[in-house]
């Protein structure tokens, strides 16, 4: 059978949201209009050159039951967590954090002339892994090389594989088998990538304009493109070129109980989480240098 191109099922305009201690964001997944795209629970786009929009940051807060993936496009974010990690991530760096049973962390954008820019995505954990050991991966710029494809696209494979398995991302072995590919399309270039049939797939265009699907629908930043099922994602650059994050993963089809930064399967598990916080049992892992 001839491989089919995934159609554009829906184009979502992100909603303005104020999160953390007062950070102005654009949210496209995790809203009233689009609660989740199983297994993706949240997609936030932060971008501003006005310190008042971002300097308050995300002071120390907990997570349980999810993974958070942060891509920094510009500027710097200082971070620290209950596992003992401390540092700063900058343009091109990616932070992949598995909260598992519980982590506390802070993410503080630094005031700089170029401002701040980036994306944060929440990926659900399957029920059997929600109370797993927390884990942190710091994928600095040089861990995720840029490759130019035959079509002229500049791609960085963060998770999964691309180009018939020739490109392999640093994040592998997760239950939902995510594919995360950061794609820059200079004017006149095209991109074509196989995505497993049945996996949820979307593209988030955060710069310029890109044409998607067999009928080449033009999508201008900022916008989320949700794909219908099929074998391939096809894109080409509009006039000035564009950039998008392609994300795909196997849906979990499990019940979702969410309360702020906690995402479990049942209300009772959320109540247990709040009780663990009250009782000082939320953090189970001691800081260590050997993680
Ligand atoms: Co957080």
């Amino acid at each position: 059978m001839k491989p089919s191109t995934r159609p554009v099922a829906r184009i979502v305009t992100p909603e303005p949201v104020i999160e953390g201690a007062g950070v102005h964001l654009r949210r496209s997944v995790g809203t009233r209009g689009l609660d989740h795209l199983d297994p993706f629970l949240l997609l936030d786009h932060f971008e501003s050159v006005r310190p008042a929009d971002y300097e308050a940051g995300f002071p120390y807060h907990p997570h349980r039951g999810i993974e958070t993936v942060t891509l920094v496009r510009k500027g710097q974010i200082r971070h620290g967590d209950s596992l003992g990690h401390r540092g700063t991530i900058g343009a091109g760096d990616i932070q992949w954090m598995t909260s598992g049973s519980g982590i506390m962390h802070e993410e503080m954008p630094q005031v700089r002339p170029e401002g701040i820019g980036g994306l944060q995505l929440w990926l659900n954990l399957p029920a059997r892994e929600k109370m797993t050991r927390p884990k942190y991966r710091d994928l600095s710029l040089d861990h995720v090389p840029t490759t130019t494809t035959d079509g002229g696209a500049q791609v960085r494979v963060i998770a999964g594989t691309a180009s018939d398995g020739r490109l392999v991302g640093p994040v592998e072995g997760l239950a939902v088998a995510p594919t995360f590919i950061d794609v820059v399309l200079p004017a006149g270039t095209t991109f074509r990538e196989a995505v497993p049939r049945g996996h949820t797939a979307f593209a988030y265009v955060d710069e310029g304009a890109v044409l998607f699907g067999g009928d080449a629908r033009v999508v201008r930043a900022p916008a989320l493109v949700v794909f219908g099922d099929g074998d391939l994602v096809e894109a080409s650059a509009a006039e000035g070129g564009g950039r998008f994050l392609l994300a795909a993963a196997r849906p979990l089809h499990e019940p979702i109980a969410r309360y702020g930064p906690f995402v479990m399967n049942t209300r009772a598990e959320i109540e247990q989480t709040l009780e663990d916080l009250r009782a000082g049992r939320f953090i189970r892992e001691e800081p260590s240098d050997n993680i």
Side-chain angles (χ1 to χ4, degrees):
M1 212 170 72
K2 189 175 170 285
S4 64
T5 300
R6 284 176 174 251
V8 172
R10 188 171 170 186
I11 298 172
V12 177
T13 302
E15 297 175 14
V17 169
I18 298 175
E19 192 53 272
V23 180
H24 292 246
L25 307 161
R26 298 184 180 115
R27 181 165 293 168
S28 48
V29 180
T31 64
R32 223 174 272 237
L34 183 60
D35 182 76
H36 63 277
L37 280 171
D38 186 14
F40 302 101
L41 297 163
L42 181 121
L43 177 55
D44 282 342
H45 173 193
F46 46 94
E47 185 163 350
S48 179
V49 290
R50 293 181 57 234
D53 285 346
Y54 64 85
E55 67 183 343
F58 304 88
Y60 234 50
H61 61 277
H63 287 288
R64 175 177 279 183
I66 59 169
E67 308 200 62
T68 68
V69 184
T70 309
L71 282 78
V72 182
R73 300 291 200 196
K74 62 176 180 178
Q76 287 193 340
I77 300 177
R78 185 172 55 74
H79 69 92
D81 69 34
S82 53
L83 296 174
H85 300 108
R86 294 272 174 280
T88 302
I89 55 173
D93 295 339
I94 296 151
Q95 184 191 82
W96 192 298
M97 190 191 79
T98 308
S99 76
S101 62
I103 199 165
M104 301 279 285
H105 74 160
E106 62 172 356
E107 303 151 291
M108 305 300 287
Q110 303 295 291
V111 173
R112 293 174 62 87
E114 70 270 34
I116 193 76
L119 303 175
Q120 187 173 84
L121 226 143
W122 291 8
L123 192 57
N124 207 355
L125 284 168
R128 66 177 185 281
E129 290 180 17
K130 281 196 178 287
M131 295 301 280
T132 194
R133 242 182 112 109
K135 184 174 171 179
Y136 176 91
R137 292 181 181 91
D138 206 348
L139 308 172
S140 62
L141 178 62
D142 38 319
H143 273 84
V144 192
T146 302
T147 306
T148 303
T149 66
D150 294 343
Q154 293 157 14
V155 301
R156 295 177 78 210
V157 183
I158 300 160
T161 62
S163 298
D164 290 323
R166 289 195 297 277
L167 304 176
V168 181
V171 178
E172 287 185 285
L174 302 185
V176 296
T179 304
F180 280 31
I181 308 175
D182 205 16
V183 183
V184 175
L185 282 179
T189 64
T190 59
F191 171 83
R192 187 181 151 95
E193 184 57 53
V195 171
R197 195 168 260 280
H199 281 204
T200 301
F202 69 79
Y204 186 81
V205 182
D206 71 339
E207 198 178 284
V210 178
L211 292 85
F212 288 101
D215 55 354
R217 280 181 71 179
V218 63
V219 178
R220 291 179 198 285
L224 173 81
V225 179
V226 183
F227 296 108
D229 208 1
D231 305 296
L232 300 166
V233 166
E234 287 191 286
S236 57
E239 326 79 65
R243 179 175 64 194
F244 64 94
L245 175 73
L246 172 66
R250 184 186 297 131
L252 289 168
H253 303 299
E254 291 178 356
I256 295 170
R258 69 199 278 170
Y259 182 78
F262 314 119
V263 187
M264 304 301 287
N265 299 105
T266 66
R267 278 323 293 175
E269 288 165 346
I270 292 290
E271 272 152 38
Q272 182 63 55
T273 301
L274 298 176
E275 180 52 35
D276 287 351
L277 269 172
R278 274 192 294 269
R281 287 191 307 257
F282 179 75
I283 298 298
R284 301 176 173 203
E285 298 291 330
E286 293 299 316
S288 159
D289 288 336
N290 311 317
I291 294 168

